Amino acid sequence: MKKILTTFIAGTSALAAVIYLSGYGYIFKALAVNLKKGPLTPSTDDEEKFPSHPVPNFHPKVWEKEAGYNKKILPENIIKELKKTRASSLIVVHDSKLLHEQYWKDHDSSSLMNSFSMAKGILAVLVGCAIDDGYLESEDQLISSVFPSYKNSYYGKFLTFRHLMTMQSGMDWKEEYHHPFAENSKQYFVDDLAQQAFGIEITQMPGQKYEYQSVSAQLLGLALKKAIGKELAAYLSEKIWKPLGMEFPAKWSIDEKGMEKAFCCIHATPRDFAKIGQLIMQNGSWDGRSLISKDYCERLLTPTKENDAFCYTIWANNESDIKYRFFYGFLGQFIIMIPEKKMVIVKTGFYNRLEVDEKLRPLQVKLLVEELTKMV
């Protein structure tokens, strides 16, 4: 028995050494973080697992409620779908007023939820702010203007901010969430996001092919941070959180170097996420003040020729009877904007098997739009 135990320990130690030396040492960090603070997989409740930069608010303003607030019963098929997909919150805003609000699994209106990839869309919003503020000339500005090393790349010298937002960067990255050795798994736990992003080669001409890649958003975040000369969280607070009177401060997870996880991980309340959708649906205007230019908001929501379901890291559906746009995050996080109905829907959850259509859009979004618009 003692010999077997010794052999097991030796074998385990050897395996750990191989994993570490192969560049997968982040797996041990993932295990340590999750075993200490929660489930073994990414979760909407990850805000305490990682260090973060604060996103302060100022003069919080609570949503005004409609006369019929929470008086209408949700359709049975929606209740069934939300239960199946482990929903944690549902917010419905109509005509700038709160129409319906519901929480599950010990969450409430003060619970901070992980945005996951909805942060990519919020990052694209900040690019528009940076253009308005003169930090950037336009979304067609070359990344090499911020990081000169890309001038030496055969394809990288053509890379622009727009290419990163439309997922047409041509980077050598396979988006994969289902095993611990994938680049996405590494990205979630790695200590140095810049080192990882700068290490990914650009192997195709940017602008010619759509391929969803989280590394594009991270490189976009790095470039934007360099251009504005301040933390992304501070800029988000300055341009969005404070002007919108968000009800609660948010948090933006960072790596060990202090860089925001630009591809994900803004932790905020569903009510405050809804305000972002409302702002974009109002073409960047809030309380009579223009926070983002109307022209940029229109471009932000315009699908690309390469993928008519995708805009500036915001998804689109123009084929349905009711047209809509939405921010989309891993495990089923949505900010849905329905201009013709003057509605914003926020849904958060914890489900990794959502069915999608041929353009990889979650069918749940379409269901929410079709059923919840009947409430008005």
Side-chain angles (χ1 to χ4, degrees):
M1 185 67 179
K2 185 175 181 180
K3 183 178 180 180
I4 294 174
L5 182 60
T6 301
T7 302
F8 174 76
I9 293 173
T12 303
S13 299
L15 177 61
V18 169
I19 291 174
Y20 187 83
L21 293 173
S22 299
Y24 298 109
Y26 64 90
I27 290 175
F28 300 117
K29 177 181 178 181
L31 288 170
V33 167
N34 287 311
L35 287 173
K36 182 180 179 181
K37 296 185 178 180
L40 287 173
T41 55
S43 164
T44 49
D45 301 319
D46 277 357
E47 54 133 333
E48 296 297 334
K49 286 185 178 181
F50 302 100
S52 61
H53 283 153
V55 183
N57 60 340
F58 186 67
H59 292 324
K61 186 176 180 181
V62 179
W63 280 101
E64 185 179 348
K65 296 178 180 177
E66 274 203 359
Y69 169 76
N70 272 6
K71 292 182 179 179
K72 295 185 178 181
I73 299 175
L74 294 177
E76 186 62 34
N77 60 339
I78 291 294
I79 294 174
K80 183 178 179 180
E81 176 71 11
L82 293 174
K83 182 178 180 180
K84 170 189 170 184
T85 57
R86 303 170 66 186
S88 50
S89 72
L90 178 69
I91 298 286
V92 181
V93 173
H94 174 243
D95 204 12
S96 301
K97 295 180 182 178
L98 201 56
L99 175 61
H100 188 86
E101 178 177 32
Q102 198 165 350
Y103 301 92
W104 297 268
K105 298 181 176 67
D106 299 322
H107 296 98
D108 57 36
S109 61
S110 65
S111 299
L112 299 185
M113 311 287 194
N114 192 342
S115 69
F116 287 109
S117 288
M118 293 198 302
K120 295 180 174 75
I122 295 171
L123 189 65
V125 171
L126 292 183
V127 169
C129 295
I131 293 170
D132 291 342
D133 288 343
Y135 292 118
L136 298 174
E137 297 172 4
S138 74
E139 55 264 52
D140 292 314
Q141 185 171 328
L142 292 169
I143 295 300
S144 62
S145 67
V146 180
F147 297 124
S149 62
Y150 282 93
K151 293 179 182 178
N152 302 320
S153 169
Y154 186 80
Y155 293 116
K157 60 188 174 185
F158 300 103
L159 185 65
T160 67
F161 282 79
R162 183 195 296 268
H163 293 144
L164 295 174
M165 291 190 290
T166 58
M167 297 294 171
Q168 298 171 27
S169 67
M171 300 180 83
D172 185 19
W173 172 284
K174 179 177 175 57
E175 193 79 2
E176 171 61 68
Y177 302 93
H178 301 295
H179 66 81
F181 298 102
E183 285 293 333
N184 290 85
S185 300
K186 181 177 181 180
Q187 191 177 42
Y188 198 66
F189 292 101
V190 73
D191 289 341
D192 192 339
L193 285 162
Q195 183 182 53
Q196 183 192 32
F198 292 141
I200 305 299
E201 293 186 15
I202 300 175
T203 56
Q204 300 180 54
M205 178 62 74
Q208 293 188 350
K209 178 185 176 183
Y210 165 86
E211 186 174 359
Y212 190 95
Q213 298 176 325
S214 289
V215 70
S216 291
Q218 190 58 48
L219 181 56
L220 176 65
L222 288 160
L224 180 60
K225 182 177 180 179
K226 183 75 177 295
I228 64 178
K230 61 185 75 174
E231 294 172 352
L232 296 180
Y235 198 52
L236 178 60
S237 173
E238 173 191 338
K239 305 306 297 186
I240 305 296
W241 237 252
K242 289 180 178 179
L244 265 57
M246 295 301 202
E247 292 186 39
F248 291 91
K251 297 179 180 181
W252 199 333
S253 295
I254 59 175
D255 66 11
E256 297 300 326
K257 304 291 184 180
M259 176 65 208
E260 287 88 353
K261 295 182 179 182
F263 66 96
C264 83
C265 309
I266 297 172
H267 303 271
T269 67
R271 283 188 179 189
D272 287 342
F273 280 134
K275 286 189 175 182
I276 294 175
Q278 187 70 34
L279 171 68
I280 301 306
M281 199 169 67
Q282 294 173 178
N283 294 312
S285 177
W286 194 267
D287 288 342
R289 177 184 170 195
S290 179
L291 302 183
I292 313 163
S293 73
K294 180 180 178 180
D295 287 345
Y296 183 81
C297 284
E298 290 176 353
R299 299 197 299 276
L300 176 76
L301 300 179
T302 300
T304 66
K305 293 180 181 178
E306 292 74 17
N307 183 352
D308 63 6
F310 204 76
C311 311
Y312 284 5
T313 325
I314 292 174
W315 294 75
N317 189 327
N318 285 339
E319 303 96 81
S320 295
D321 292 336
I322 301 174
K323 297 175 175 58
Y324 54 89
R325 301 288 185 268
F326 62 101
F327 296 71
Y328 174 20
F330 180 56
L331 299 179
Q333 325 310 315
F334 309 121
I335 303 172
I336 309 167
M337 299 161 286
I338 316 168
E340 65 182 270
K341 296 293 185 177
K342 297 182 179 180
M343 288 182 70
V344 174
I345 300 168
V346 171
K347 177 259 172 183
T348 63
F350 187 63
Y351 191 75
N352 194 25
R353 297 185 299 279
L354 290 175
E355 295 181 29
V356 297
D357 64 16
E358 70 282 357
K359 296 181 181 178
L360 302 181
R361 295 171 300 200
L363 295 178
Q364 186 178 83
V365 174
K366 189 172 187 291
L367 177 65
L368 289 170
V369 170
E370 291 175 345
E371 292 296 331
L372 297 183
T373 50
K374 295 176 184 177
M375 296 173 66
V376 300

